[in-house]
Amino acid sequence: MSQVWIIKRKHLYLAALALLLVLSGVLYLNRSKIVPTMAEPAAERTIHMVVGEFKSTTKDGKTIESYRWDPGTVPIQKGERIKLSIYGVNGESHPFLIEGLNISGEVKKGKKPSSTSPPIRKARTGLFACRMRILPTTGR
């Protein structure tokens, strides 16, 4: 015995409404992954950093130094355009290297090196260390 399915217009409307609700829910849940194709390019974000040098003398007359970069960690989204603005508070000069991004430069006391850092477009995620480059000194 065969069965006959009768589809009424009301059933088509209900199926279309259910499909629309399911698609709307999927789009809503994945809204963070949707990239507009006609979007304006994201504006460049300037990250202001400060580098400081601390010196002290031990009881036996030995000079010890420490360097600090603030902020120590900067979160950057994948593909975001950034520019570093680094200000040297004390110490004459601070050569630096940001590993993984191949950015190097020198921060001088009291000067903002706007030319030190060209705009950076971070193409990948990760943690990038900013290291002081040690220069050879004379007379020490």
Side-chain angles (χ1 to χ4, degrees):
M1 193 156 203
S2 64
Q3 291 184 346
V4 177
W5 293 82
I6 298 174
I7 299 175
K8 296 182 180 179
R9 188 177 302 174
K10 179 175 135 182
H11 295 131
L12 291 175
Y13 289 146
L14 286 175
L17 181 63
L19 182 62
L20 181 65
L21 286 174
V22 168
L23 288 176
S24 297
V26 168
L27 288 174
Y28 179 76
L29 293 175
N30 292 319
R31 67 186 179 275
S32 63
K33 298 176 186 173
I34 298 172
V35 179
T37 57
M38 298 299 289
E40 293 291 322
E44 179 179 282
R45 180 170 61 120
T46 301
I47 298 170
H48 299 279
M49 298 181 81
V50 177
V51 62
E53 177 180 330
F54 302 95
K55 289 184 182 181
S56 183
T57 306
T58 61
K59 290 180 183 178
D60 61 353
K62 184 179 176 184
T63 302
I64 55 175
E65 296 178 357
S66 176
Y67 301 95
R68 180 172 175 91
W69 294 78
D70 284 310
T73 304
V74 179
I76 302 169
Q77 298 297 319
K78 182 177 179 179
E80 181 180 12
R81 289 179 53 84
I82 63 166
K83 182 169 184 168
L84 297 178
S85 176
I86 307 170
Y87 187 78
V89 176
N90 51 8
E92 291 304 313
S93 118
H94 301 278
F96 68 91
L97 169 70
I98 301 177
E99 296 174 349
L101 296 178
N102 296 324
I103 297 171
S104 62
E106 183 176 359
V107 179
K108 295 191 177 190
K109 181 179 177 178
K111 295 183 181 176
K112 254 189 201 176
S114 58
S115 61
T116 298
S117 173
I120 304 163
R121 186 168 191 117
K122 190 167 165 295
R124 59 188 173 93
T125 58
L127 189 61
F128 303 96
C130 186
R131 305 233 188 255
M132 293 289 297
R133 288 188 359 223
I134 307 298
L135 298 177
T137 57
T138 56
R140 280 194 181 177

